[in-house]
Amino acid sequence: MDLSRRGFLQAAALTAAASGLTVACGGGSGSSGTKNGKDLTLWYWGGALSDKVVAEAKTHFGGQVKLTVSSIGGDFKQKLTTTLAAGTSVPDITGIKGEDMASFLPNAGRFLDLNDLGFKTISHQYLDWKTKLAQTADGKQIGFPIDIGPTALFYREDLFAKAGLPTDPDKVADRVKTWDGYFALGTELKGKVPGTFLVNNISSVFNIAVGQGTQRFIDKNNHFIGDQDHIRTAWTTAVRPYTLGIDAKINDNTWNAAVGKNLGTELGAAWHALDIEQAAPQTKGKWRVCANPGGPANQGGSYLALPRQCRNPEEAFKIISWILSPANDARGFTDAAIFPAAPAAYSMPAMTGPDAFFGGQKIIEVFGPAAKTIPDSYEAPADAAVMAPYMTELTNIEAKGKKPDDAWKDAVSQARQIARRQGVN
């Protein structure tokens, strides 16, 4: 999945030398070590938060608590799940990845309700659709939003100019308002600049097309709906670049080498800007950003949560509220392309300046409006597992030449089986 490219941000993992943090590679110190409410621990992964802001939090709250921070490598979800189940060495504060939040909600009792600590009074500062994704059916708030991943279209201004296509972001956005318009532009681009492709792979198209709707693979009544029209339409949309010959068929393992060469556009979240910059520094100034074909979607974005073993909930909540305040959220964007879940940050200087990599464009003017108009959608605990066969079968189309209709049937069949094993009706 394209979301795995978040790994590029994780390459900027926290180090003691860079931030002055106490870093653990495994279990880390946790809340079972002492009953002292003056000692708090925080678990997260590299790139999840601004290391500068977290380092300042240690100083800012140093008179009240000693905050020990652990950067957890490897499978964060698995390590957190195992620790919570064991009930020992549990962190006082922990990150939860956005794609994992739905799977934690059925066990919401393992976390404190942030509304009891004051989140209700400040929740208006954060995007409502993002906040809801960390709420239980009865209204308990498990996660405090860190960031989001509003999507847009990244495109190569120089390749568009060579093809005689519009290059101004507003004009390009007008050409690609719909998926049909986007694919037509890609066909024209390849015709005028042979060897150029529109999309990296069709899985990236499917991921965004699904996210543009209000329904996914399982409904609120726990019924499998991955065979219904909204998913079939997303599938058909994803397959079109392949049938039109404008799909580069790039897998994640070869994306780094390909992005700066013959790829005319990239569909991705705000944080993907850093991926492109790191993978293709030689293309600085040649990229631009415009609104996503078919409307915005969200990819990624995480939360902070307080396990029920938290030794000092009131102080822990003060800490996460400070780290994730709009002003510090804006700094997170500057430090590590962590796109804030707090709209007030979008008008702050840290986010409104021109971006040299994107030719001096103020990219917040694209991502800000997208963030505010992402549709509310229900994500079931089994959603990620049920989605996996669709991604696999789209890859089979590209890599093995499998017929799209056969791939669709197999994807639905496999997804239905997985859903049934996950307790979905």
Side-chain angles (χ1 to χ4, degrees):
M1 289 179 64
D2 249 24
L3 280 176
S4 66
R5 295 210 184 114
R6 183 64 173 173
F8 286 107
L9 293 182
Q10 293 174 0
L14 301 176
T15 63
S19 61
L21 305 181
T22 302
V23 179
C25 297
S29 56
S31 59
S32 65
T34 173
K35 296 296 183 182
N36 184 3
K38 295 291 186 181
D39 294 325
L40 294 177
T41 55
L42 165 62
W43 277 17
Y44 64 113
W45 56 95
L49 297 167
S50 163
D51 41 347
K52 293 179 182 178
V53 170
V54 173
E56 288 181 21
K58 295 181 69 176
T59 302
H60 186 79
F61 291 93
Q64 291 79 43
V65 297
K66 177 185 177 183
L67 179 64
T68 300
V69 178
S70 296
S71 180
I72 307 298
D75 190 333
F76 188 92
K77 178 187 177 184
Q78 183 57 49
K79 291 180 180 179
L80 177 60
T81 300
T82 301
T83 301
L84 291 173
T88 59
S89 297
V90 178
D92 298 288
I93 306 168
T94 184
I96 296 179
K97 295 184 179 182
E99 59 267 33
D100 297 332
M101 176 54 77
S103 66
F104 280 104
L105 287 177
N107 296 305
R110 289 179 172 169
F111 301 94
L112 299 177
D113 181 359
L114 300 181
N115 285 330
D116 293 339
L117 296 166
F119 183 77
K120 268 188 179 180
T121 63
I122 59 172
S123 63
H124 65 278
Q125 297 180 26
Y126 302 88
L127 290 162
D128 187 56
W129 64 264
K130 177 67 175 178
T131 298
K132 286 179 179 177
L133 290 173
Q135 283 179 1
T136 62
D138 59 354
K140 292 184 176 66
Q141 188 68 37
I142 304 307
F144 195 127
I146 296 176
D147 64 326
I148 58 173
T151 61
L153 178 68
F154 302 89
Y155 66 93
R156 284 281 297 274
E157 187 268 350
D158 59 325
L159 295 180
F160 277 36
K162 188 175 181 180
L165 293 168
T167 58
D168 176 78
D170 288 338
K171 292 180 179 179
V172 174
D174 191 57
R175 281 287 302 269
V176 302
K177 281 183 179 178
T178 65
W179 287 106
D180 285 344
Y182 176 52
F183 299 146
L185 180 143
T187 301
E188 187 176 346
L189 174 65
K190 187 177 181 182
K192 292 182 177 179
V193 185
T196 302
F197 296 94
L198 184 71
V199 301
N200 60 357
N201 58 52
I202 56 180
S203 296
S204 64
V205 178
F206 182 72
N207 202 8
I208 289 179
V210 171
Q212 290 172 328
T214 57
Q215 292 182 303
R216 293 180 63 85
F217 300 90
I218 302 164
D219 67 17
K220 291 183 178 180
N221 295 317
N222 201 36
H223 294 129
F224 173 73
I225 54 174
D227 56 351
Q228 294 186 6
D229 288 348
H230 65 291
I231 298 297
R232 185 60 197 256
T233 298
W235 175 277
T236 301
T237 298
V239 170
R240 285 200 60 204
Y242 173 81
T243 58
L244 291 170
I246 51 178
D247 170 23
K249 306 174 187 175
I250 300 169
N251 63 45
D252 284 353
N253 294 327
T254 60
W255 180 84
N256 263 29
V259 69
K261 296 178 181 178
N262 60 348
L263 198 57
T265 73
E266 271 283 285
L267 294 160
W271 48 259
H272 193 46
L274 184 58
D275 296 348
I276 298 172
E277 184 173 352
Q278 292 179 338
Q282 75 279 9
T283 60
K284 180 178 180 179
K286 297 179 180 180
W287 290 88
R288 302 290 185 273
V289 186
C290 75
N292 202 94
N298 182 69
Q299 290 185 327
S302 304
Y303 299 87
L304 287 179
L306 306 183
R308 61 179 174 80
Q309 293 92 339
C310 179
R311 291 168 291 181
N312 191 335
E314 291 76 16
E315 203 64 35
F317 184 76
K318 289 178 185 178
I319 291 172
I320 64 176
S321 300
W322 186 86
I323 290 175
L324 300 177
S325 66
N328 282 330
D329 270 359
R331 293 177 57 199
F333 183 75
T334 301
D335 294 343
I338 302 169
F339 196 90
Y346 305 163
S347 59
M348 294 179 179
M351 298 194 70
T352 55
D355 191 314
F357 189 82
F358 293 95
Q361 184 181 357
K362 297 179 179 181
I363 62 175
I364 187 61
E365 294 177 356
V366 177
F367 288 111
K372 296 174 183 178
T373 54
I374 290 169
D376 273 324
S377 63
Y378 171 70
E379 188 169 331
D383 186 86
V386 172
M387 184 179 189
Y390 298 87
M391 309 302 279
T392 298
E393 289 299 327
L394 287 168
T395 300
N396 287 340
I397 293 172
E398 293 175 318
K400 301 178 181 179
K402 190 169 184 176
K403 293 181 179 179
D405 284 345
D406 291 340
W408 165 256
K409 292 175 183 176
D410 288 345
V412 171
S413 175
Q414 293 164 29
R416 187 178 282 114
Q417 291 177 37
I418 291 171
R420 192 176 297 117
R421 290 197 297 269
Q422 296 270 348
V424 178
N425 299 321

